[in-house]
Amino acid sequence: MTTIVARAAESNHWYGKDGKPAYSVIGANGKERSTTLRDARKMNLVPSVTTIIKSAASPGLEVWKLNQMMLAALTLPRVENEPEEEFISRIQRDSKEHAKMAAERGTAVHTAVESMYSGVMHAEFVDHQAGVYREIEKEFGVTEFQPEKAFAHELGFGGKLDLFTPKYQDRGLVIDIKTKEFGDPSKVVGYDEHVMQLAAYRVGVDLPNADCANVFVSVTVPGLVVINKWSQQDLARGWSMFQGLLSYWQAKNQHK
């Protein structure tokens, strides 16, 4: 069995001006630690696309967090004579633990799907992999991609694409994979942060007219996949929004 090594969240990532990831540094104590803004200033690094996007509110994410909190409140039994503050604290801890488990499962599925395009199959997630392969081929007629393409752009942002090919219809194709818990495809929708991310990615790899799509992979129903292809109008709007956030982030953090 092949071991799938889950990647860290891109929102914690930094990139050198040459596009090489700089996710961690060796601290003064000789131990490896995550790269900070202070490190980035010294090393002339650029932030990831998702770091920039996090400058804006994410309604979908906030709703999900609230739902996790409410589920914990409804299912967690209260201890007799337990102070309200302690009960609330336990609810918060419980909801965070459920969120952590869901995130870890989603990351494992995401990593497995990406690795499929490098020729690696994983027995535990083979249905997820097969579903993605089938739906992407059906929608775009493409089966070969360059996975995990890292970049840095002169405007001061970087990132790592899940899947892309410069050969698709002479424009290119950029795909970002999203894992989530769902069983009803009609309830899967794209948000502003999704189109901003893809718009920035296609500019970042010098494919400004590339087609872009989110591939939503169900964690709870193996093989269930929904593709949301963004229009060129949506992508132009996404790039405009991202540029606004980029200027805000650079001014706020005094780092360009």
Side-chain angles (χ1 to χ4, degrees), residues 1-239:
M1 179 181 292
T2 302
T3 300
I4 296 293
V5 180
R7 67 180 190 173
E10 192 212 331
S11 58
N12 297 323
H13 285 173
W14 299 86
Y15 296 85
K17 290 298 180 71
D18 58 359
K20 292 183 180 179
Y23 306 151
S24 61
V25 297
I26 302 300
N29 60 0
K31 295 182 180 180
E32 188 175 21
R33 59 171 174 76
S34 297
T35 305
T36 65
L37 175 60
R38 185 177 181 180
D39 298 321
R41 287 172 175 154
K42 291 180 179 178
M43 299 167 64
N44 200 26
L45 305 177
V46 298
S48 69
V49 166
T50 49
T51 295
I52 302 303
I53 293 173
K54 283 174 65 178
S55 299
S58 177
L61 178 61
E62 294 308 314
V63 168
W64 184 81
K65 288 180 179 179
L66 286 172
N67 286 342
Q68 294 299 311
M69 190 77 70
M70 287 188 287
L71 284 171
L74 289 171
T75 59
L76 197 64
R78 187 165 185 174
V79 178
E80 187 176 359
N81 298 322
E82 180 181 28
E84 185 175 274
E85 292 79 5
E86 177 57 30
F87 183 47
I88 292 173
S89 180
R90 284 202 303 117
I91 290 173
Q92 292 174 335
R93 291 195 301 270
D94 187 74
S95 68
K96 287 180 181 178
E97 185 61 30
H98 281 285
K100 180 182 176 182
M101 292 173 62
E104 289 175 348
R105 176 70 176 178
T107 300
V109 171
H110 188 290
T111 304
V113 169
E114 262 189 350
S115 68
M116 172 180 63
Y117 287 96
S118 297
V120 179
M121 301 301 291
H122 193 274
E124 184 179 357
F125 304 115
V126 67
D127 289 337
H128 300 84
Q129 291 176 313
V132 169
Y133 188 92
R134 179 185 65 247
E135 294 303 319
I136 288 180
E137 183 179 24
K138 183 190 302 182
E139 180 69 31
F140 300 105
V142 178
T143 58
E144 294 185 6
F145 288 91
Q146 296 181 41
E148 296 195 286
K149 166 68 174 179
F151 71 89
H153 192 272
E154 61 183 9
L155 290 179
F157 64 93
K160 183 182 286 186
L161 284 66
D162 289 339
L163 303 171
F164 97 107
T165 175
K167 301 177 182 179
Y168 179 72
Q169 295 188 359
D170 297 324
R171 296 190 301 273
L173 174 62
V174 177
I175 288 177
D176 190 67
I177 299 165
K178 299 295 183 189
T179 56
K180 61 182 300 179
E181 298 178 350
F182 70 91
D184 184 353
S186 67
K187 295 183 178 180
V188 178
V189 296
Y191 292 101
D192 283 345
E193 56 262 36
H194 299 150
V195 71
M196 281 193 284
Q197 183 178 17
L198 283 164
Y201 280 172
R202 73 173 186 171
V203 170
V205 293
D206 197 26
L207 294 173
N209 299 311
D211 286 349
C212 296
N214 287 112
V215 174
F216 294 98
V217 185
S218 174
V219 175
T220 48
V221 184
L224 180 58
V225 174
V226 174
I227 294 180
N228 182 47
K229 182 178 176 181
W230 295 96
S231 70
Q232 291 296 324
Q233 183 178 2
D234 285 332
L235 290 162
R237 173 175 167 269
W239 174 238

